[in-house]
């Protein structure tokens, strides 16, 4: 086997919560009269909640205090949580689930490396609450992607060195984080466009061919 551990980003890789992030930010942006579109949204992939807000506020005319920003970020999270509440096992696709099972059966350790503070809640909702060997998320890091901290912690939790792990990401910031941490990386979705990953996945199932020899 080429890799002993696979570290998965969550939003946009394991499930499509990225579309809910977009909807929630869009609602907030409309509320405060700031222009926001899917191109700007792609810059928020892998980026923490507060840093995401700062990117959105690049188009805001005026000054906000730290407290006002905190309130806006909380509002966005409330909109996002409302959308997450409707998620269920049906939001976990067969191809993702089958790939995870195949990798585990091949002997890989499987971890999550996500900047989200909602990762545990989402995993529970889609039926993977107890599935992963380790979860490293927005609650155990102080620097978000492209800093490698979230992946370094994930590797540490599964007792593997970065060189033994493959990181799977849909965000350019996530691919950069993997590279910064000394991990090989596989890009899916939007991250394919940055051209920085070692592998390009058309579907998550391609991982089986890369990892299981
Ligand atoms: C993931 C998403 C980002 C999001 C971040 C924080 O990395 O790709 O778009 O901003 O998590 O999510 P949270 O659920 O903590 O607001
Ligand atoms: Mg992502």
């Amino acid at each position: 086997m080429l890799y002993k551990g696979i570290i998965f980003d969550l939003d946009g890789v394991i499930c499509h919560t990225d579309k809910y992030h977009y909807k929630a930010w869009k609602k907030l942006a409309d509320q405060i009269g700031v222009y926001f579109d899917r191109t700007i949204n792609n810059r928020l992939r892998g980026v923490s909640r507060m840093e995401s807000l700062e990117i959105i506020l690049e188009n805001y005319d005026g000054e906000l205090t730290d407290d006002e920003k905190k309130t806006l970020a909380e509002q966005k999270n409330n909109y996002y949580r409302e959308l997450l509440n409707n998620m269920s096992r049906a939001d976990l696709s067969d191809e993702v689930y089958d790939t995870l099972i195949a990798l585990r059966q091949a002997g890989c350790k499987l971890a999550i490396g996500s900047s989200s503070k909602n990762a545990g809640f989402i995993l529970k909702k889609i039926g993977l609450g107890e599935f992963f060997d380790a979860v490293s998320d927005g609650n155990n890091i102080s620097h978000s992607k492209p800093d490698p901290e979230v992946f370094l912690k994930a590797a540490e939790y599964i007792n593997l060195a970065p060189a033994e792990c493959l990181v799977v990401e849909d965000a350019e910031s996530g691919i950069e984080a993997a590279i910064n941490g000394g991990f090989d990386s596989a890009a899916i979705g939007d991250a394919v466009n940055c051209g920085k990953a070692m592998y390009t996945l058309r579907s998550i199932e391609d991982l089986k061919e890369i990892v299981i020899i």
Side-chain angles (χ1 to χ4, degrees):
M1 225 169 15
L2 210 46
Y3 300 99
K4 291 184 181 168
I6 317 292
I7 303 173
F8 294 90
D9 171 52
L10 179 64
D11 300 310
V13 173
I14 296 295
C15 56
H16 286 291
T17 35
D18 48 338
K19 66 181 180 226
Y20 299 141
H21 274 297
Y22 171 74
K23 276 191 182 177
W25 280 125
K26 179 73 181 145
K27 188 168 174 180
L28 187 89
D30 287 351
Q31 181 187 307
I32 58 172
V34 168
Y35 179 76
F36 180 65
D37 62 16
R38 288 183 189 277
T39 308
I40 300 170
N41 185 62
N42 281 336
R43 291 174 57 205
L44 313 182
R45 292 179 188 274
V47 175
S48 74
R49 198 179 306 161
M50 286 312 288
E51 287 168 304
S52 296
L53 178 65
E54 292 296 345
I55 291 172
I56 287 167
L57 292 177
E58 283 171 13
N59 288 318
Y60 184 74
D61 239 2
E63 284 296 313
L64 293 171
T65 64
D66 285 351
D67 277 352
E68 285 168 332
K69 287 180 187 173
K70 227 176 123 209
T71 304
L72 289 178
E74 271 167 23
Q75 265 174 1
K76 181 268 174 180
N77 195 48
N78 291 339
Y79 298 151
Y80 182 55
R81 295 279 295 210
E82 267 171 39
L83 296 166
L84 294 183
N85 251 329
N86 297 323
M87 288 185 88
S88 69
R89 174 66 178 77
D91 289 281
L92 177 65
S93 71
D94 288 344
E95 58 171 11
V96 169
Y97 186 68
D98 293 348
T99 303
L100 292 172
I101 294 295
L103 293 170
R104 171 156 288 159
Q105 279 171 355
C108 287
K109 286 194 181 164
L110 307 176
I112 290 289
S114 163
S115 308
S116 175
K117 293 187 168 160
N118 292 299
F121 181 68
I122 295 165
L123 288 170
K124 232 178 255 161
K125 279 279 182 190
I126 61 174
L128 295 180
E130 304 294 324
F131 182 86
F132 287 92
D133 298 302
V135 175
S136 171
D137 65 22
N139 299 299
N140 63 255
I141 55 168
S142 22
H143 306 286
S144 84
K145 303 164 187 177
D147 189 285
E149 185 181 9
V150 74
F151 295 139
L152 292 172
K153 290 254 167 74
E156 190 188 311
Y157 296 161
I158 52 174
N159 293 312
L160 293 173
E164 298 175 301
C165 301
L166 178 69
V167 166
V168 187
E169 260 293 349
D170 74 316
E172 179 172 4
S173 63
I175 297 293
E176 287 172 350
I179 294 168
N180 291 337
F183 297 87
D184 285 357
S185 59
I188 192 163
D190 188 66
V192 169
N193 301 325
C194 75
K196 295 177 186 167
M198 178 167 288
Y199 307 101
T200 290
L201 309 178
R202 276 160 303 142
S203 143
I204 196 147
E205 289 170 311
D206 292 350
L207 275 180
K208 292 187 261 184
E209 276 148 55
I210 294 169
V211 177
I212 311 166
I213 308 170

